[in-house]
Amino acid sequence: MNNHHTHEELKKHRQAGRILAEVREKTAKKIVVGASTLETATFAEDLIRSLGGQPAFPCNLSRNEDAAHYTPGADDTLVFGEDMVKLDIGVHIDGYIADSAMTVDLSDHPELVEASTAGLAAAINMIHAGINTAEIGAAIEREISEFGYKPIANLTGHGLGRYLTHAPPSIPNIPIRGGTVLVEGQVVAIEPFATDGAGRIRDTQRSEIYHLVTENPPLPRIPRARALLKEIIEYRTLPFAKRWFSREKIDFTFRNLEKSGLIESYPVLTEVTGALVSQAEHTVIVTADGCEVTTG
Ligand code: CO
């Protein structure tokens, strides 16, 4: 996988980033106490399409101790309360992805929000071709700990490949040994998470987001599963939401595809001690002497 992009590819990354920035700002305004999570996610995804992009993954609206990967289900009646909401959006143009997140805080913890935002700003300020990802992780942790919080150690930023939301390299949010040197033209998402808990997440049993395991899977024999898989193949290996498909016995069919090893779920990730989590994320193009934020 070549993660170094040509001029034409970078144009598509930038276009995806511009759409994302507009969708993020407009969707953030919809996140208020009493608003429906399902309507909010649908609003964001429809707006992406109407602006000429495609969702690179379902709109994530993880709340409070949930750090990532919550998107509403088809019949979800959940409304926002006085929550710390992580709005995480992905947009792609022809497979070239922009990924960005912000925290909409209805819970009145401004310093926790500020900690992840400041961690992201510190990373963006230091990125340039030739920097080691270990230096970025160290700077993010230093910044977040100045606010008295911890980064989430087992969540990282990542490269963005064509139709690939989590390409190498991973960008740590803590100091690490080794690391990877970033090169000019590389597109990466930086995403610090801050918490007043232990600074680790674990999988839950909940999942509404899935992805195809391989791009050209064998088609199942059962007609219902076969028909669904044919629709899923359109998303390549990008994450998709169960609610994007409306048909009878959808839960049964999803379980069937999952058991066959054709699709995999992304479980909701929650902080191990149940503490609040904030997040900030931008996608950047690495340049010789700095970086260009595509989702600013
Ligand atoms: Co990301």
Side-chain angles (χ1 to χ4, degrees), residues 126-140:
M126 73 191 299
I127 288 181
H128 57 83
I131 197 169
N132 189 301
T133 54
E135 298 172 63
I136 301 171
I140 289 172

Side-chain angles (χ1 to χ4, degrees), residues 99 158 191 281:
D99 183 357
H158 47 89
E191 52 178 325
E281 178 179 24

